[in-house]
Amino acid sequence: MTLKDRLIERIARTGPMTVADYMTECLLHPEHGYYTTGDPLGGAGDFITAPEISQMFGELLGLWLAQVWMDQGAPSPFNLVELGPGRGTLMADALRATRTVPGLHGAMQLHLVEASPTLRAAQEGLLSDFAPHWHDSLATVPDGGPLFLVANEFFDALPIRQYQRGGADGWHERMIGADGENLIWGLSPPSTVAALSERLHNVSEGQIVELCPAGEAIAGEIGRRVAAFGGAALIIDYGDWTSIGDTFQAMASHAYADPLADPGGADLTAHVAFGALARAANPAVPSTLTPQGVFLERLGITPRAQTLLKGLSGPARDQLVAAHRRLTHPEEMGNLFKVLALMPPSAAPPPGLDPQGPAA
């Protein structure tokens, strides 16, 4: 029985599903889940992430983390955590770039939060020298010490709920139902949604707002640890400060697909509302939300690319030039992807980022 058949049966028994429930089933179902049954990354997969595009990305993020660690007095020991590490490419590049930072590797304890058995195996192949510990969630990463964390394209895959503004003060939740052998969209009856009470003044009737309770809970845990024990978090993803509009999407074979057509067979994501994460992370202090291209340029990606180009020619040189453009150019990933840091209230401003986020 396919996952689609299972979902249609479930809907027949219990009624329409929220988008959050649908995403959870499609991505994490033990037999049919997208992340539990294969490797979605790279040319043979469905999408490619920044660390897979060029080593420069992970190298610069590693040096960012090392600088913040030194700025905070080089605490030892500390937890180095990556949420959703993919194949381990970002962390491998980061640790290679920081291997000469005195004391850093000896002080760190590496923790990887990863749901996919396939990707865990790939991570072990790249990172076994650093004795990583794997976790299903941040909650099981040891508490009580400094936390230095990176999350690249992690929050976009967390389950969202979608609400369409109705008349007066009501909201209709977007739901997924069934019509014969097809999954279809529908709306719940109108109701008040406490979490959206402050959006009534800036959302017109018919517009959609997305909430990510799981993301806010994780941001809250990150913020609590960083504020209490020191460290920093670097979140990189596509999205903006505020959620508006339907951003729920599916990717299959590097192309957009119908999110309801093939449950478990496509990656499902939504744009990240960084403002909600920043508010949830209080008392940690957010940086200004910054385009990825601007951030990488401030960290020195162009001089790094120029250094690497000196030893290249032909297709390899062309590939590096294209990678630099893809990561930084406003018409590629440079503006779509944003960067947010979460810092302790008393910490120095983070490298490459302004120290205070926009008003909530």
Side-chain angles (χ1 to χ4, degrees):
M1 180 182 291
T2 68
L3 181 56
K4 186 175 185 178
D5 292 334
R6 291 176 185 269
L7 295 178
I8 290 172
E9 281 193 358
R10 171 178 166 172
I11 291 167
R13 291 195 313 269
T14 62
M17 306 172 64
T18 66
V19 178
D21 286 344
Y22 179 75
M23 288 183 72
T24 300
E25 290 291 326
C26 290
L27 298 178
L28 299 176
H29 188 279
E31 295 178 39
H32 304 287
Y34 181 76
Y35 289 136
T36 55
T37 57
D39 182 353
L41 296 170
D46 293 317
F47 60 91
I48 189 167
T49 61
E52 305 290 336
I53 293 171
S54 171
Q55 69 186 67
M56 297 183 292
F57 186 81
E59 290 171 348
L60 291 174
L61 266 57
L63 294 173
W64 186 95
L65 289 164
Q67 184 63 57
V68 174
W69 175 73
M70 291 187 291
D71 289 345
Q72 294 187 24
S76 178
F78 71 91
N79 288 328
L80 177 60
V81 178
E82 185 173 2
L83 304 181
R87 292 174 176 164
T89 306
L90 187 158
M91 187 57 66
D93 290 339
L95 294 176
R96 185 184 64 255
T98 57
R99 64 189 181 278
T100 60
V101 178
L104 178 68
H105 286 194
M108 75 181 190
Q109 297 173 349
L110 181 59
H111 298 273
L112 305 174
V113 177
E114 178 59 65
S116 166
T118 302
L119 293 178
R120 282 191 182 194
Q123 294 156 20
E124 185 171 16
L126 279 181
L127 299 169
S128 58
D129 288 347
F130 301 97
H133 303 273
W134 280 272
H135 303 266
D136 292 328
S137 72
L138 179 61
T140 59
V141 174
D143 198 0
L147 172 71
F148 291 83
L149 178 146
V150 61
N152 179 64
E153 291 198 57
F154 171 80
F155 283 91
D156 65 85
L158 296 178
I160 61 162
R161 298 181 72 168
Q162 291 187 317
Y163 295 90
Q164 182 173 307
R165 176 73 189 276
D169 292 344
W171 297 89
H172 300 270
E173 183 163 11
R174 288 190 89 201
M175 308 291 287
I176 296 167
D179 181 11
E181 298 180 353
N182 297 314
L183 295 170
I184 60 172
W185 288 105
L187 294 174
S188 74
S191 63
T192 58
V193 180
L196 294 174
S197 60
E198 296 182 358
R199 299 302 304 275
L200 292 169
H201 71 285
N202 63 7
V203 178
S204 302
E205 186 171 348
Q207 284 187 311
I208 291 172
V209 175
E210 296 169 342
L211 297 179
C212 185
E216 292 180 34
I218 294 170
E221 177 65 8
I222 294 170
R224 180 190 67 80
R225 295 190 187 204
V226 166
F229 305 111
L234 191 65
I235 300 170
I236 304 174
D237 228 312
Y238 47 86
D240 216 324
W241 190 255
T242 302
S243 166
I244 191 71
D246 175 15
T247 72
F248 182 50
Q249 63 186 29
M251 288 289 292
S253 301
H254 298 270
Y256 291 108
D258 179 353
L260 304 187
D262 184 19
D267 186 35
L268 301 178
T269 65
H271 285 207
V272 174
F274 286 91
L277 300 183
R279 289 188 292 273
N282 182 61
V285 177
S287 69
T288 295
L289 189 63
T290 302
Q292 174 178 292
V294 173
F295 176 67
L296 293 176
E297 290 291 1
R298 289 175 178 175
L299 294 188
I301 191 171
T302 294
R304 176 60 177 150
Q306 291 169 341
T307 298
L308 292 172
L309 284 171
K310 292 178 182 177
L312 299 176
S313 61
R317 181 183 180 87
D318 295 341
Q319 185 177 8
L320 182 63
V321 171
H324 177 273
R325 175 184 170 86
R326 187 166 181 183
L327 290 173
T328 62
H329 196 278
E331 294 181 1
E332 302 223 20
M333 297 175 73
N335 273 356
L336 175 63
F337 282 74
K338 308 294 195 307
V339 182
L340 180 77
L342 300 172
M343 304 288 291
S346 59
L353 298 168
D354 295 325
Q356 187 173 359

